[in-house]
Amino acid sequence: MRTQVAIIGAGPSGLLLGQLLSRAGIDNVIVERQSAQYVLGRIRAGVLEQVSVEMLDECGLGARMHREGLVHHGIELLFKGARHRIDLHDLSGGKSVMVYGQTEVTHDLMDARKVQGLATFYETGDTVKLHDFDGARPKVSCVQDGKAHEIECDFIAGCDGYHGASRASVPASALKTYTKDYPFGWLGVLADVPPVSHELIYANTGRGFALCSMRSPTRSRYYVQVPLQEKAEAWSDAAFWDELRRRLDVEAREHLVTGPSIEKSIAPLRSFVAEPMRFGRLFLAGDAAHIVPPTGAKGLNLAATDVKYLSAALIEHYRHKSDRGIDDYSRKCLARVWKAERFSWWFTSLMHKFPDAGDIGQKLQEAELDYLVSSRAASTALAENYVGLPL
Ligand code: FAS
Ligand code: PHB
């Protein structure tokens, strides 16, 4: 078969790119390793920057998000047993964030693609291969239900995440990668209980980091920092709730509603960037090119802005016969990626307990937090990064 753009991966990056290209009349095919149900079963991001909200609106898919999503104008920082609100809306000149889970974003994009009857090969397993993307006639091959498919295309979008085939298909000599692994993970629990507070609470405590988030007024998402070697199955619900309570302030502890977990998993924390993000007719987007620790809620939003730049570049190529956007894609993305990497590293370094930091490490973090919440300049810096830097 032939298409204009072959997209590898049906996560948020691939699905969002597929929507934007289709709306511009550009033919595309998505190949996805897993089943749609499996992709939807992964519990990941929870916070959308305004630019991501606007992209879903641009795809005509914002209705459920605006109906069910929660607009947040602030977050709270908890340290030394007290909470301090950061007024994101005031400090960022009127911006806010939308709490609407990645699962829902993916659901909306998948439903739209299905209604539009756009070609999507699910459950291709590890059969996807990329061919000749450094030439003029790239191809993607895969096997689905035992049937081999060869997809001739003009361009390949590698939207297949950190462990995908796209970046792995690039000769190591053509790539420069940067990696920082953190000495802890996030144990996350999803539960159908009302959130402990109406805004997110990021907690720095002597026992480690905790985050109180949510998906709706009746569904909460909580995280506690755990050592890397921990296993989610070793944590009973009761043990999780007890540990979370130990990391909350008195009021939050009193308001915490607990219940059975409907999902429990541990995510490692990593900073990673692959440069460049373009190889001939192959473009990397989203987690295929970069990973941030989730502290700054940047992962999904960075994927969205990569897709914004890539879709504009491809539309310019087909509509105006210009490759200016394509030639500038990697530079433009990486300028934004590195700023988000810095913010995510800084916020992670400020809020987590590092094994080798000693007692002075906690004191230095508390001093920085004291300064942060008492300085408009410092709070503004946090706010403008958290809501998303201008494009
Ligand atoms: P994804 O990884 O979401 O999607 C890639 C898709 O490609 C997957 O569906 C995969 O099955 C498919 N694929 C992989 N290899 C393939 C192959 N060889 N052939 C075909 N398909 C292939 N971000 C936040 O902002 N907040 C969070 O709290 C947060 N939590 C996270 C927790 C975990 C465990 C992980 C891994 C990430 C988390 N992230 C979080 C980041 C996450 O939301 C990503 O930024 C987001 O999923 C990026 O979307 P994609 O680039 O589409 O990559
Ligand atoms: C989430 O709700 O999953 C979430 C929210 C904010 C973060 C990370 C994760 O910084």
Side-chain angles (χ1 to χ4, degrees):
M1 74 186 294
R2 180 165 226 300
T3 188
Q4 289 173 295
V5 182
I7 299 171
I8 304 177
S13 298
L15 291 165
L16 190 53
L17 179 62
Q19 275 303 308
L20 291 166
L21 293 179
S22 298
R23 292 179 71 83
I26 297 171
D27 190 46
N28 62 88
V29 172
I30 293 182
V31 292
E32 163 59 49
R33 169 191 268 164
Q34 307 287 1
S35 68
Q37 293 65 32
Y38 183 94
V39 174
L40 288 170
R42 290 188 298 229
I43 305 301
R44 288 193 175 164
V47 173
L48 301 182
E49 293 175 6
Q50 229 155 296
V51 66
S52 304
V53 169
E54 287 160 7
M55 288 178 74
L56 279 171
D57 285 335
E58 190 185 329
C59 294
L61 299 178
R64 187 164 78 99
M65 171 183 62
H66 290 293
R67 196 172 57 246
E68 298 177 11
L70 304 169
V71 176
H72 280 204
H73 287 180
I75 58 173
E76 288 191 299
L77 301 181
L78 163 54
F79 61 98
K80 294 198 291 188
R83 278 147 62 175
H84 305 262
R85 185 169 188 265
I86 301 291
D87 187 336
L88 300 172
H89 193 258
D90 170 50
L91 293 164
S92 68
K95 286 188 173 181
S96 56
V97 292
M98 171 77 80
V99 172
Y100 188 65
Q102 176 172 321
T103 305
E104 308 318 319
V105 172
T106 308
H107 222 302
D108 295 340
L109 288 165
M110 277 184 178
D111 290 353
R113 190 166 182 88
K114 192 171 179 183
V115 163
Q116 293 152 11
L118 298 172
T120 312
F121 293 88
Y122 283 104
E123 300 185 76
T124 56
D126 287 328
T127 67
V128 171
K129 291 196 176 18
L130 291 76
H131 310 273
D132 307 327
F133 50 80
D134 50 356
R137 301 173 64 79
K139 283 196 297 276
V140 169
S141 61
C142 66
V143 176
Q144 184 200 47
D145 293 339
K147 186 168 182 292
H149 298 271
E150 189 160 277
I151 304 165
E152 293 180 1
C153 52
D154 299 332
F155 299 104
I156 303 174
C159 299
D160 48 351
Y162 181 72
H163 299 288
S166 300
R167 193 180 73 249
S169 301
V170 176
S173 58
L175 264 178
K176 169 72 179 155
T177 60
Y178 303 82
T179 301
K180 180 182 187 57
D181 290 312
Y182 296 85
F184 40 73
W186 280 15
L187 168 61
V189 157
L190 192 67
D192 281 333
V193 294
V196 71
S197 177
H198 67 289
E199 291 179 327
L200 273 60
I201 303 173
Y202 288 81
N204 167 300
T205 82
R207 299 180 65 90
F209 171 78
L211 172 58
C212 302
S213 184
M214 62 199 75
R215 292 292 179 270
S216 75
T218 59
R219 177 166 285 193
S220 298
R221 178 71 167 164
Y222 291 106
Y223 299 93
V224 295
Q225 170 189 344
V226 293
L228 264 183
Q229 60 274 19
E230 290 279 346
K231 300 282 179 251
E233 50 274 17
W235 282 78
S236 67
D237 287 358
F240 178 85
W241 296 122
D242 287 347
E243 187 56 40
L244 178 64
R245 276 194 197 90
R246 292 187 192 103
R247 302 189 189 187
L248 295 179
D249 58 291
V250 172
E251 186 200 350
R253 214 173 292 149
E254 284 166 3
H255 282 86
L256 181 65
V257 178
T258 65
S261 60
I262 51 180
E263 193 270 353
K264 192 187 293 172
S265 55
I266 292 181
L269 272 67
R270 172 178 293 128
S271 298
F272 171 83
V273 179
E275 290 188 351
M277 290 174 55
R278 178 226 177 157
F279 307 90
R281 288 177 173 260
L282 167 62
F283 300 90
L284 301 181
D287 278 18
H290 41 73
I291 295 287
V292 284
T295 322
K298 290 291 153 233
L300 176 55
N301 294 298
L302 266 186
T305 40
D306 289 351
V307 165
K308 185 176 186 65
Y309 294 145
L310 182 54
S311 57
L314 291 169
I315 292 166
E316 180 192 57
H317 168 84
Y318 284 110
R319 201 171 278 173
H320 307 296
K321 306 289 176 260
S322 157
D323 282 356
R324 206 155 43 92
I326 280 177
D327 294 338
D328 197 34
Y329 169 72
S330 183
R331 180 204 64 77
K332 205 168 175 184
C333 285
L334 288 169
R336 187 174 181 82
V337 164
W338 277 111
K339 293 188 184 79
E341 290 282 350
R342 184 223 50 94
F343 171 67
S344 304
W345 158 80
W346 167 79
F347 202 18
T348 301
S349 304
L350 179 61
M351 299 305 289
H352 290 75
K353 183 180 180 67
F354 286 72
D356 57 355
D359 293 346
I360 191 170
Q362 183 64 29
K363 297 298 281 181
L364 290 170
Q365 287 178 335
E366 288 171 359
E368 180 165 359
L369 284 161
D370 270 333
Y371 164 65
L372 178 61
V373 299
S374 59
S375 156
R376 186 173 175 85
S379 299
T380 300
L382 167 57
E384 61 184 18
N385 278 279
Y386 191 88
V387 299
L389 296 175
L391 283 173

